[in-house]
Amino acid sequence: MKQIHFNEVVPSFLYDSADYESEVWGNSFVLNKGESHLVSAFSGRGKTTFLSLIFGARKDFRGTILLDNQDTKGLGLNDWSGLRQDKVSMLFQNLRLFEELTVKENFLLKTQLSKDFHLDQAEQWLADLDLKDVLNRRCNTLSQGQQQRVAIVRSLLQRFDWLLLDEPFSHLDKENQQRVFRLVEKRVAEEQAGWIVSSLGDKHGYTFQREIAL
Amino acid sequence: MKRWQRILVLVSSFVGLLLIWISLALYFDISKALNETERLFGDQYLVLNKRVSVFGALGMGRSGFSIEEIKSVEDLKGVTDVGEFVSNRFRANAIADFGDMGPLLKTELFFESVPDRFLDTKPAGWKWRPTDPDVPIIVPSDYLALYNFGFAPGQDLPQISESVAKMSAFKISIETPTGPQIFNARIGGFSDRINTILAPLSFLEYANEQFGLGQREAPQRIIVASDDISALEKLMGEKGYETSEEKMQMGKEKLIAQRILSIGLILGFFIVILSLGSFLQMTDLLIARSDQEIRTLGYLGYTYSQLSKKIFTQIIRVIAISFLLAFLGGIVLRWKLSAFLAVLVGEQNVIPSSLAIVILFAILLSYAALVYWNILRQTKRMLA
C-alpha cells in the first residue's frame, strides 16, 4: 500500500460545525509510504479519529479515503482483516491489551495469526525498550508505562506498510521515548513502511519528514 | 458465562434430548415389533363383514354391503380409504400335478380381490392380462405358518421358506358349460394384512365376465384403512359389522402407543427448542460481554469467521456434553427397563435402531449449526 489519499474527508463530529481550520478535514492530500508523519493537535481535534479512519476502525465520515486506488467504503470485513494482518498496524491510545492475559499470551494472539515473527523476537524488542522478565506476567500487574511498551512491541510483531501510533509516549519518560524511536525507526526501515505518530504538539525531540496540523 | 446459567442450559437441553431420544428409540422398537409393513404411524387395515344371520345361513338373502353403507363408512372420521372385496362367481379347482413323482392333488378353491392400493405385498406380474403365462396368487402368511409349525412337524415333512413356497406352481381349473378352462398359477406372495386367497383384480374381473354364474352381487366384505379406529368401532357396534378381534385390539393398542409416543416426541422437541432459545441467548450474552475483546482481536487482524470459530469451540462443549449425557442416559434407561420393554415390544437390542441414532445426530447438527450461525451473525455485527 504505497499511498493514502484523503479527499475532502469530514468526520461525523464535524458535520454540524461550519468553520474549522484544519490541514486535514475537508482538504485533499496524499500520504506516502516510507515517510514519517506527525499529526499534532490539542485534545478533541480528532487525532484518534484520523488514525481510526485509515485503520477502518471508524467509518462515519463524508468524502473519500483511497488506500492506493481502493476506496475504503468498498472494503468488506474480510478485506479489513487482511489489511490489518500485513499492511497496517496500529497502536491504540488505550492500548487494547488483554489485561487478564500474560504478556506472552498477548503476543501469541498476534504471532499465531500472522506467523511472521516469533516470541524470542518480541523478547528482544522488550529488552530494547528496557523491559525484562515480563513475558509471564499478567498485563494488569504492569505499570502504565510498561503496558504502553508491551503494546508498542505487539504492534511491531507483524509485517506492515503503515504503522499508526496514537500518542505512543504519553506514559514514557524521555529515555524510554528515545528507545521507542530507535526501535520503531529500525522496524519501519526493515518494512520500508510509512508511519504516522499523533501527538498533543510535542515532537519528542524527533524530526519528522512531514508535520500535519489538525 | 455464569456457572449456574451453563448448568441450567445443560440440564434443559439434556432433558429435552433424552425425551426425544427414548421416544425415537421406542418408536422404532414398536415399529419393528409390529412388523415391517404395519407401520406404527401408518394406517390400520381392517376387514369388515356383516354378522351372518340365520337367513344368510339358510341361503335366503346374502349379507352384502350396499352402496349407502359403504359411503357411511367412508365418511367416518379417521377412515382414509375403503375398498370392496370381489369374489369369484364361478366354480374353480386347484390342481397340483406331479406327474409320475406323486399323486394328482385337487381341491376346490375360491378367490377374492381387493384394489391394489390395499395390498401389503405386490408380486411380479400382479397386473394380470389374459395373455400372461400364469396367474400370481397371494396367500395369507398364516397358511404357511400353519403348515410349517402345525402340519409339517407331525407328518415329518420339511419346513418351507417363503421363497421356496413361491416356486410352487399349480393349475387353476375353472368349470364352464363347455368344459374346464385351465390357467397356470403360482404363489406370488404372502400377506399379513388380508386373510384370504387373493388373485389379481384384473384376473377375477376377466374370469367372472367370461365364466361367471349369476349377477354381480354387493360385496360381502370391505377393507377399511383408518388412522383412528374409534369412530369406526362405534359404527360397527351400531350396525353389527364384524372384524378380526385381534386386529381391532391391535388397532387400539397402536393408537395408545401412538398417543404416548407423540406426546413424548412433541414434549421433547418443545424442550429442545426452549433450550436452543436459551443457548442462543447465552451466546448473545457471551458475545456482548466480550465486546471489547472481540473488537480488539478484529483490530489485530482476526476475521469474523476465525473469531466465531473460537467462540463456537467454547460453546460446543456444553452442547456436546448434553448430547452425550442424553445418548448414554437413554441407553442406560433402556438397559434398566429391558425386562419391561421385552414384555411390551419383544426382546430389543440395548443400542437402539441406527435410524434413531441418525435422527438424534441430525438434531445435534442442526442445533450446532443454528448456534454457530448466531455467533457468526453477532460477531459480524460487532466488527462492522
Side-chain angles (χ1 to χ4, degrees), chain B residues 170-197:
Chain B
F170 58 96
K171 288 187 166 56
I172 297 170
S173 164
I174 296 177
E175 289 179 22
T176 73
T178 56
Q181 283 278 335
I182 307 291
F183 293 87
N184 291 318
R186 64 184 161 87
I187 294 177
F190 294 88
S191 173
D192 288 315
R193 187 179 291 166
I194 302 168
N195 205 7
T196 188
I197 299 171

mmCIF file of all heavy atoms in Angstrom, chain B residues 170-197:
data_model
loop_
_atom_site.group_PDB
_atom_site.id
_atom_site.type_symbol
_atom_site.label_atom_id
_atom_site.label_comp_id
_atom_site.label_asym_id
_atom_site.label_seq_id
_atom_site.Cartn_x
_atom_site.Cartn_y
_atom_site.Cartn_z
ATOM 1 N N PHE B 170 -49.022 -74.420 -9.694
ATOM 2 C CA PHE B 170 -50.173 -75.332 -9.777
ATOM 3 C C PHE B 170 -51.092 -74.820 -10.890
ATOM 4 O O PHE B 170 -50.759 -73.847 -11.581
ATOM 5 C CB PHE B 170 -50.880 -75.429 -8.419
ATOM 6 C CG PHE B 170 -51.374 -74.120 -7.881
ATOM 7 C CD1 PHE B 170 -52.702 -73.733 -8.076
ATOM 8 C CD2 PHE B 170 -50.521 -73.265 -7.182
ATOM 9 C CE1 PHE B 170 -53.155 -72.524 -7.575
ATOM 10 C CE2 PHE B 170 -50.972 -72.058 -6.689
ATOM 11 C CZ PHE B 170 -52.292 -71.686 -6.884
ATOM 12 N N LYS B 171 -52.192 -75.517 -11.077
ATOM 13 C CA LYS B 171 -53.109 -75.129 -12.144
ATOM 14 C C LYS B 171 -54.452 -74.764 -11.530
ATOM 15 O O LYS B 171 -54.867 -75.326 -10.509
ATOM 16 C CB LYS B 171 -53.273 -76.273 -13.139
ATOM 17 C CG LYS B 171 -52.032 -76.480 -13.996
ATOM 18 C CD LYS B 171 -52.290 -77.510 -15.069
ATOM 19 C CE LYS B 171 -51.230 -77.497 -16.142
ATOM 20 N NZ LYS B 171 -49.852 -77.686 -15.606
ATOM 21 N N ILE B 172 -55.108 -73.805 -12.169
ATOM 22 C CA ILE B 172 -56.465 -73.462 -11.760
ATOM 23 C C ILE B 172 -57.394 -73.964 -12.853
ATOM 24 O O ILE B 172 -57.199 -73.651 -14.034
ATOM 25 C CB ILE B 172 -56.643 -71.935 -11.613
ATOM 26 C CG1 ILE B 172 -55.718 -71.402 -10.504
ATOM 27 C CG2 ILE B 172 -58.092 -71.586 -11.297
ATOM 28 C CD1 ILE B 172 -55.669 -69.884 -10.471
ATOM 29 N N SER B 173 -58.347 -74.746 -12.431
ATOM 30 C CA SER B 173 -59.311 -75.266 -13.400
ATOM 31 C C SER B 173 -60.661 -74.621 -13.115
ATOM 32 O O SER B 173 -61.197 -74.749 -12.010
ATOM 33 C CB SER B 173 -59.386 -76.783 -13.259
ATOM 34 O OG SER B 173 -60.543 -77.259 -13.915
ATOM 35 N N ILE B 174 -61.212 -73.910 -14.110
ATOM 36 C CA ILE B 174 -62.493 -73.236 -13.931
ATOM 37 C C ILE B 174 -63.561 -74.000 -14.729
ATOM 38 O O ILE B 174 -63.378 -74.283 -15.914
ATOM 39 C CB ILE B 174 -62.418 -71.778 -14.409
ATOM 40 C CG1 ILE B 174 -61.410 -71.013 -13.530
ATOM 41 C CG2 ILE B 174 -63.786 -71.103 -14.365
ATOM 42 C CD1 ILE B 174 -61.198 -69.586 -13.969
ATOM 43 N N GLU B 175 -64.646 -74.314 -14.039
ATOM 44 C CA GLU B 175 -65.709 -75.070 -14.715
ATOM 45 C C GLU B 175 -66.533 -74.144 -15.584
ATOM 46 O O GLU B 175 -66.990 -73.095 -15.137
ATOM 47 C CB GLU B 175 -66.611 -75.750 -13.675
ATOM 48 C CG GLU B 175 -65.920 -76.896 -12.967
ATOM 49 C CD GLU B 175 -66.815 -77.542 -11.926
ATOM 50 O OE1 GLU B 175 -68.058 -77.395 -12.025
ATOM 51 O OE2 GLU B 175 -66.266 -78.189 -11.010
ATOM 52 N N THR B 176 -66.736 -74.525 -16.821
ATOM 53 C CA THR B 176 -67.590 -73.760 -17.734
ATOM 54 C C THR B 176 -68.522 -74.758 -18.409
ATOM 55 O O THR B 176 -68.263 -75.972 -18.387
ATOM 56 C CB THR B 176 -66.762 -73.028 -18.807
ATOM 57 O OG1 THR B 176 -66.295 -74.001 -19.738
ATOM 58 C CG2 THR B 176 -65.577 -72.300 -18.198
ATOM 59 N N PRO B 177 -69.607 -74.275 -19.007
ATOM 60 C CA PRO B 177 -70.534 -75.187 -19.689
ATOM 61 C C PRO B 177 -69.823 -76.010 -20.764
ATOM 62 O O PRO B 177 -70.239 -77.128 -21.066
ATOM 63 C CB PRO B 177 -71.562 -74.251 -20.302
ATOM 64 C CG PRO B 177 -71.504 -73.015 -19.463
ATOM 65 C CD PRO B 177 -70.083 -72.886 -19.006
ATOM 66 N N THR B 178 -68.753 -75.485 -21.333
ATOM 67 C CA THR B 178 -68.092 -76.198 -22.428
ATOM 68 C C THR B 178 -66.879 -76.976 -21.941
ATOM 69 O O THR B 178 -65.978 -77.297 -22.701
ATOM 70 C CB THR B 178 -67.631 -75.191 -23.502
ATOM 71 O OG1 THR B 178 -66.780 -74.224 -22.871
ATOM 72 C CG2 THR B 178 -68.801 -74.487 -24.122
ATOM 73 N N GLY B 179 -66.801 -77.228 -20.634
ATOM 74 C CA GLY B 179 -65.661 -77.987 -20.116
ATOM 75 C C GLY B 179 -64.702 -77.092 -19.363
ATOM 76 O O GLY B 179 -64.840 -75.863 -19.390
ATOM 77 N N PRO B 180 -63.747 -77.679 -18.648
ATOM 78 C CA PRO B 180 -62.859 -76.888 -17.790
ATOM 79 C C PRO B 180 -61.879 -76.002 -18.582
ATOM 80 O O PRO B 180 -61.375 -76.412 -19.628
ATOM 81 C CB PRO B 180 -62.107 -77.952 -16.986
ATOM 82 C CG PRO B 180 -62.189 -79.191 -17.807
ATOM 83 C CD PRO B 180 -63.446 -79.133 -18.597
ATOM 84 N N GLN B 181 -61.668 -74.795 -18.046
ATOM 85 C CA GLN B 181 -60.657 -73.887 -18.581
ATOM 86 C C GLN B 181 -59.457 -73.923 -17.627
ATOM 87 O O GLN B 181 -59.636 -73.774 -16.424
ATOM 88 C CB GLN B 181 -61.197 -72.452 -18.622
ATOM 89 C CG GLN B 181 -62.145 -72.159 -19.757
ATOM 90 C CD GLN B 181 -61.395 -71.848 -21.042
ATOM 91 O OE1 GLN B 181 -60.249 -71.409 -20.995
ATOM 92 N NE2 GLN B 181 -62.042 -72.103 -22.175
ATOM 93 N N ILE B 182 -58.266 -74.152 -18.162
ATOM 94 C CA ILE B 182 -57.096 -74.311 -17.295
ATOM 95 C C ILE B 182 -56.206 -73.062 -17.361
ATOM 96 O O ILE B 182 -55.912 -72.572 -18.443
ATOM 97 C CB ILE B 182 -56.248 -75.521 -17.727
ATOM 98 C CG1 ILE B 182 -57.116 -76.783 -17.824
ATOM 99 C CG2 ILE B 182 -55.088 -75.740 -16.756
ATOM 100 C CD1 ILE B 182 -57.631 -77.302 -16.503
ATOM 101 N N PHE B 183 -55.817 -72.568 -16.175
ATOM 102 C CA PHE B 183 -54.829 -71.477 -16.089
ATOM 103 C C PHE B 183 -53.657 -71.941 -15.241
ATOM 104 O O PHE B 183 -53.857 -72.650 -14.249
ATOM 105 C CB PHE B 183 -55.428 -70.236 -15.424
ATOM 106 C CG PHE B 183 -56.510 -69.574 -16.231
ATOM 107 C CD1 PHE B 183 -57.836 -69.984 -16.117
ATOM 108 C CD2 PHE B 183 -56.201 -68.536 -17.110
ATOM 109 C CE1 PHE B 183 -58.828 -69.377 -16.860
ATOM 110 C CE2 PHE B 183 -57.198 -67.928 -17.846
ATOM 111 C CZ PHE B 183 -58.516 -68.350 -17.734
ATOM 112 N N ASN B 184 -52.428 -71.581 -15.661
ATOM 113 C CA ASN B 184 -51.272 -71.821 -14.798
ATOM 114 C C ASN B 184 -51.271 -70.795 -13.675
ATOM 115 O O ASN B 184 -51.597 -69.629 -13.893
ATOM 116 C CB ASN B 184 -49.966 -71.700 -15.580
ATOM 117 C CG ASN B 184 -49.827 -72.834 -16.565
ATOM 118 O OD1 ASN B 184 -50.132 -73.981 -16.242
ATOM 119 N ND2 ASN B 184 -49.397 -72.504 -17.780
ATOM 120 N N ALA B 185 -50.906 -71.247 -12.485
ATOM 121 C CA ALA B 185 -50.876 -70.311 -11.346
ATOM 122 C C ALA B 185 -49.635 -70.568 -10.504
ATOM 123 O O ALA B 185 -49.000 -71.616 -10.601
ATOM 124 C CB ALA B 185 -52.131 -70.489 -10.497
ATOM 125 N N ARG B 186 -49.289 -69.564 -9.734
ATOM 126 C CA ARG B 186 -48.155 -69.704 -8.810
ATOM 127 C C ARG B 186 -48.417 -68.864 -7.576
ATOM 128 O O ARG B 186 -49.220 -67.908 -7.619
ATOM 129 C CB ARG B 186 -46.849 -69.240 -9.486
ATOM 130 C CG ARG B 186 -46.860 -67.777 -9.838
ATOM 131 C CD ARG B 186 -45.617 -67.367 -10.586
ATOM 132 N NE ARG B 186 -45.843 -66.103 -11.287
ATOM 133 C CZ ARG B 186 -45.658 -64.913 -10.732
ATOM 134 N NH1 ARG B 186 -45.264 -64.815 -9.491
ATOM 135 N NH2 ARG B 186 -45.895 -63.816 -11.439
ATOM 136 N N ILE B 187 -47.752 -69.229 -6.477
ATOM 137 C CA ILE B 187 -47.851 -68.391 -5.276
ATOM 138 C C ILE B 187 -46.891 -67.216 -5.463
ATOM 139 O O ILE B 187 -45.687 -67.405 -5.615
ATOM 140 C CB ILE B 187 -47.510 -69.188 -4.012
ATOM 141 C CG1 ILE B 187 -48.573 -70.278 -3.790
ATOM 142 C CG2 ILE B 187 -47.432 -68.268 -2.811
ATOM 143 C CD1 ILE B 187 -48.302 -71.175 -2.616
ATOM 144 N N GLY B 188 -47.458 -66.007 -5.515
ATOM 145 C CA GLY B 188 -46.628 -64.821 -5.797
ATOM 146 C C GLY B 188 -46.186 -64.124 -4.527
ATOM 147 O O GLY B 188 -45.202 -63.380 -4.524
ATOM 148 N N GLY B 189 -46.912 -64.329 -3.420
ATOM 149 C CA GLY B 189 -46.536 -63.607 -2.211
ATOM 150 C C GLY B 189 -47.408 -64.007 -1.037
ATOM 151 O O GLY B 189 -48.355 -64.788 -1.185
ATOM 152 N N PHE B 190 -47.035 -63.478 0.139
ATOM 153 C CA PHE B 190 -47.765 -63.780 1.362
ATOM 154 C C PHE B 190 -48.207 -62.477 2.005
ATOM 155 O O PHE B 190 -47.439 -61.512 2.046
ATOM 156 C CB PHE B 190 -46.876 -64.560 2.328
ATOM 157 C CG PHE B 190 -46.523 -65.927 1.796
ATOM 158 C CD1 PHE B 190 -45.410 -66.101 0.980
ATOM 159 C CD2 PHE B 190 -47.332 -67.012 2.084
ATOM 160 C CE1 PHE B 190 -45.101 -67.341 0.476
ATOM 161 C CE2 PHE B 190 -47.018 -68.256 1.582
ATOM 162 C CZ PHE B 190 -45.905 -68.431 0.768
ATOM 163 N N SER B 191 -49.418 -62.465 2.486
ATOM 164 C CA SER B 191 -49.937 -61.231 3.072
ATOM 165 C C SER B 191 -50.187 -61.405 4.554
ATOM 166 O O SER B 191 -50.724 -62.422 5.003
ATOM 167 C CB SER B 191 -51.244 -60.849 2.378
ATOM 168 O OG SER B 191 -51.816 -59.751 3.058
ATOM 169 N N ASP B 192 -49.746 -60.390 5.343
ATOM 170 C CA ASP B 192 -50.089 -60.369 6.768
ATOM 171 C C ASP B 192 -51.394 -59.631 6.974
ATOM 172 O O ASP B 192 -51.997 -59.715 8.025
ATOM 173 C CB ASP B 192 -48.996 -59.625 7.553
ATOM 174 C CG ASP B 192 -47.739 -60.452 7.627
ATOM 175 O OD1 ASP B 192 -47.847 -61.647 7.906
ATOM 176 O OD2 ASP B 192 -46.649 -59.890 7.387
ATOM 177 N N ARG B 193 -51.762 -58.845 5.959
ATOM 178 C CA ARG B 193 -52.843 -57.893 6.173
ATOM 179 C C ARG B 193 -54.203 -58.511 5.870
ATOM 180 O O ARG B 193 -55.160 -58.280 6.586
ATOM 181 C CB ARG B 193 -52.594 -56.666 5.284
ATOM 182 C CG ARG B 193 -53.546 -55.533 5.540
ATOM 183 C CD ARG B 193 -53.246 -54.353 4.660
ATOM 184 N NE ARG B 193 -51.993 -53.701 5.017
ATOM 185 C CZ ARG B 193 -51.383 -52.824 4.233
ATOM 186 N NH1 ARG B 193 -51.892 -52.513 3.050
ATOM 187 N NH2 ARG B 193 -50.252 -52.275 4.617
ATOM 188 N N ILE B 194 -54.262 -59.283 4.798
ATOM 189 C CA ILE B 194 -55.566 -59.757 4.334
ATOM 190 C C ILE B 194 -55.594 -61.274 4.399
ATOM 191 O O ILE B 194 -54.781 -61.957 3.784
ATOM 192 C CB ILE B 194 -55.840 -59.254 2.906
ATOM 193 C CG1 ILE B 194 -55.780 -57.723 2.896
ATOM 194 C CG2 ILE B 194 -57.202 -59.730 2.434
ATOM 195 C CD1 ILE B 194 -55.750 -57.140 1.529
ATOM 196 N N ASN B 195 -56.555 -61.779 5.164
ATOM 197 C CA ASN B 195 -56.588 -63.200 5.473
ATOM 198 C C ASN B 195 -57.477 -63.960 4.488
ATOM 199 O O ASN B 195 -58.500 -64.515 4.853
ATOM 200 C CB ASN B 195 -57.094 -63.359 6.901
ATOM 201 C CG ASN B 195 -56.616 -64.657 7.523
ATOM 202 O OD1 ASN B 195 -55.804 -65.365 6.922
ATOM 203 N ND2 ASN B 195 -57.128 -64.974 8.697
ATOM 204 N N THR B 196 -57.082 -63.962 3.210
ATOM 205 C CA THR B 196 -57.848 -64.701 2.219
ATOM 206 C C THR B 196 -56.941 -65.042 1.045
ATOM 207 O O THR B 196 -55.792 -64.605 1.003
ATOM 208 C CB THR B 196 -59.067 -63.884 1.741
ATOM 209 O OG1 THR B 196 -59.895 -64.706 0.921
ATOM 210 C CG2 THR B 196 -58.628 -62.677 0.942
ATOM 211 N N ILE B 197 -57.447 -65.833 0.100
ATOM 212 C CA ILE B 197 -56.646 -66.132 -1.089
ATOM 213 C C ILE B 197 -56.941 -65.043 -2.118
ATOM 214 O O ILE B 197 -58.088 -64.864 -2.536
ATOM 215 C CB ILE B 197 -57.000 -67.518 -1.651
ATOM 216 C CG1 ILE B 197 -56.702 -68.582 -0.588
ATOM 217 C CG2 ILE B 197 -56.225 -67.784 -2.930
ATOM 218 C CD1 ILE B 197 -57.223 -69.955 -0.950
#
